[in-house]
Amino acid sequence: MNTLNRKTTSVNTYTERIIQFGEGNFLRAFANWMIHEMNKKANFDGGVVVVQPINQGLVKMLNDQDGLYTLYLNGIKNGKAISEHEIIDCIQRSINPYENYNDYLANAKNPDLRFVISNTTEAGISYNEKDTLNDKPQSSFPGKLTALLYQRFQAFNGASDKGLIIIPCELIDRNGDNLKRIILQYASEWKLGNDFIEWINEDNIFCNTLVDRIVPGYPKDKMEAITKELGYIDNLVVEGEQFHLWVIEGPESVKEEFPSEPCRLNVVFTNNMEPYRTRKVRILNGAHTTLVPVGYLYGIDRVRESLEDKIVGTFLQDALFKNICPTLDLPDEELSQFSNDVLDRFRNPYLEHELMSISLNSISKYKTRVLPSVLEFIKRKNALPSHLLFSLAALIAFYKGDRNGTPITLKDDTAVLEFFNNQWKTNNVSIVVKATLSNIDFWETDLTAISGLENEVNKNLESIINKGMTSALKTFMN
């Protein structure tokens, strides 16, 4: 059986217009797939040169397969469970700068180069005071990129049309702004000159982004069946879900050069990404956190099973549409679409997401993901968000550490676990509720000061403790 490469498979070649820092599963299932789609459907002609950002990586494996790999997309699409796959051919070659630094820098002289894409982990966009221009290579990703940009600035005499569009995908807030700040810091410390600093500021575009696609990665346990299905050996198979979202904050010109719209890709170009970040945190992450204590105490172990249960599934759907969406400022159509997409993602039959795996540090998660919706709902509606407060009561019950007589393995900060252990020793629901809601270390505010909130949580928790979650939730829903 042949190994996948350009000698054994007929694929396209493209102009090298993109340099990509990172060769991991996420970029190959996300950004490279989108580039592949734009090449097919919009004549983008976007060839990718992959740069390995750390000393250890997959560049050798990528080069052995001439940049080719098979992508499986599994999930709900247009209301149906679909698994589909294809060969992605946009990666033209890959470079390990720790072994071939000169080859890496030579990319700066490519007149066709226009984009930089990166995913070097959350710690990748960081400053390393030991980096210098003479390092081969610099240890940090911003250091490597500064050296490349300076080489390009010199090669083209600071030509304004040779600046780059830089689109980082690292999961930190304002990723583009932070990357630019560190590059300017290096430019100053390395004494690269005011002209270079001006070129960075005026002729290069640093975008802030939000990325969203679940990528389980290499399906090791299924590779025997996959290889039989494909009819060739592929050591770089990657799996991702059907859903994808890329929010890119930048000038209108980026949208004009990045033709995602004709391909019907879920890429949002905006001059303010904060509403989309808030939407993701409150709807996607907030739904997970709202669901966990309710579903788990109800006797369910997985996210998908929660959606398949009529009572729990309806509870979560109502929490989304009745309590969370009304707190957000995006158009109703966008919020509805995103919420339905989230529910489809939770129903994905190809992913098994354990509720307990989401339960880590649930108190801080409720504070950042759900509490803002609670407070905003009260502010806008002058009413209590009943479903989110039922979930809060369930969360307090969850920290009692018992599910129908079976101990729950709680994972949180020691101080949180000790707090609930001491409170539940009282065996008094009212005492536990008052102590929890007034704990400023948890919420940065005293929630008992909100009219009616303590009574609502107390009523729900009494029901959960006395009746059990199954009966309590059914009573609540009726």
Side-chain angles (χ1 to χ4, degrees), residues 22 52 64 68-69 93 113 153 209 236 249 261 298 335 354 360 365 384-385 391 404 429 448 459 467:
Q52 186 172 293
D64 286 345
L68 304 180
Y69 61 93
R93 58 193 176 95
L113 189 62
F153 171 78
T209 70
L236 292 166
E249 181 186 273
E261 205 168 77
Y298 194 83
L335 294 173
E354 301 285 337
L360 175 68
K365 284 178 178 175
L384 296 172
S391 174
N404 300 324
V429 166
T448 64
K459 177 186 70 176
K467 299 179 181 179

Side-chain angles (χ1 to χ4, degrees), residues 136-343:
K136 298 183 178 181
Q138 296 73 23
S139 65
S140 71
F141 158 52
K144 294 182 184 72
L145 183 53
T146 304
L148 184 83
L149 289 169
Y150 186 60
Q151 182 82 354
R152 188 168 183 81
F153 171 78
Q154 291 182 308
F156 294 102
N157 297 312
S160 61
D161 64 342
K162 290 297 181 280
L164 302 178
I165 297 172
I166 298 155
I167 311 178
C169 297
E170 287 81 358
L171 296 176
I172 63 169
D173 193 25
R174 314 300 297 176
N175 45 22
D177 291 345
N178 279 287
L179 179 57
K180 181 179 181 179
R181 173 181 55 80
I182 297 170
I183 286 172
L184 290 173
Q185 184 175 354
Y186 282 132
S188 175
E189 292 178 357
W190 296 352
K191 301 185 182 344
L192 303 184
N194 290 332
D195 288 346
F196 175 64
I197 290 174
E198 183 179 347
W199 183 76
I200 291 292
N201 280 318
E202 299 296 327
D203 300 317
N204 292 266
I205 298 171
F206 290 79
C207 300
N208 293 305
T209 70
L210 174 69
V211 298
D212 192 4
R213 170 171 265 175
I214 297 170
V215 178
Y218 180 74
K220 183 178 180 181
D221 58 334
K222 298 186 282 187
M223 277 311 299
E224 184 176 344
I226 285 174
T227 300
K228 186 176 180 180
E229 177 184 27
L230 296 177
Y232 54 81
I233 297 168
D234 183 352
N235 296 309
L236 292 166
V237 170
V238 62
E239 284 187 313
E241 66 171 335
Q242 290 282 351
F243 178 86
H244 65 283
L245 171 66
W246 201 351
V247 180
I248 299 176
E249 181 186 273
E252 187 72 19
S253 59
V254 177
K255 180 179 179 179
E256 295 168 3
E257 294 193 52
F258 201 77
S260 60
E261 205 168 77
C263 306
R264 305 189 72 176
L265 295 171
N266 194 17
V267 180
V268 176
F269 295 94
T270 179
N271 59 7
N272 180 16
M273 66 177 290
E274 288 313 307
Y276 297 95
R277 180 178 292 281
T278 301
R279 180 184 72 173
K280 177 180 182 287
V281 170
R282 292 203 195 170
I283 293 180
L284 174 64
N285 304 123
H288 266 151
T289 301
T290 299
L291 170 64
V292 166
V294 177
Y296 190 74
L297 293 181
Y298 194 83
I300 296 172
D301 292 326
R302 297 176 181 87
V303 173
R304 176 182 53 79
E305 294 166 352
S306 302
L307 269 292
E308 291 171 351
D309 182 273
K310 184 177 180 181
I311 300 294
V312 177
T314 302
F315 169 83
L316 183 62
Q317 185 169 304
D318 286 350
L320 273 175
F321 288 101
K322 294 179 179 179
N323 286 182
I324 297 176
C325 286
T327 71
L328 298 167
D329 292 324
L330 289 166
D332 289 344
E333 186 179 341
E334 280 190 39
L335 294 173
S336 179
Q337 180 63 55
F338 188 78
S339 297
N340 283 317
D341 285 340
V342 163
L343 294 172

Side-chain angles (χ1 to χ4, degrees), residues 71-74 77 82-86 242:
L71 171 65
Y72 275 78
L73 294 180
N74 305 323
K77 184 177 181 180
I82 289 177
S83 176
E84 53 192 354
H85 65 270
E86 66 178 323
Q242 290 282 351

Side-chain angles (χ1 to χ4, degrees), residues 393 428-430 433 456-468 472:
N428 187 310
V429 166
S430 296
V433 168
E456 181 77 8
V457 174
N458 198 77
K459 177 186 70 176
N460 289 327
L461 186 54
E462 287 274 11
S463 179
I464 292 168
I465 296 299
N466 293 332
K467 299 179 181 179

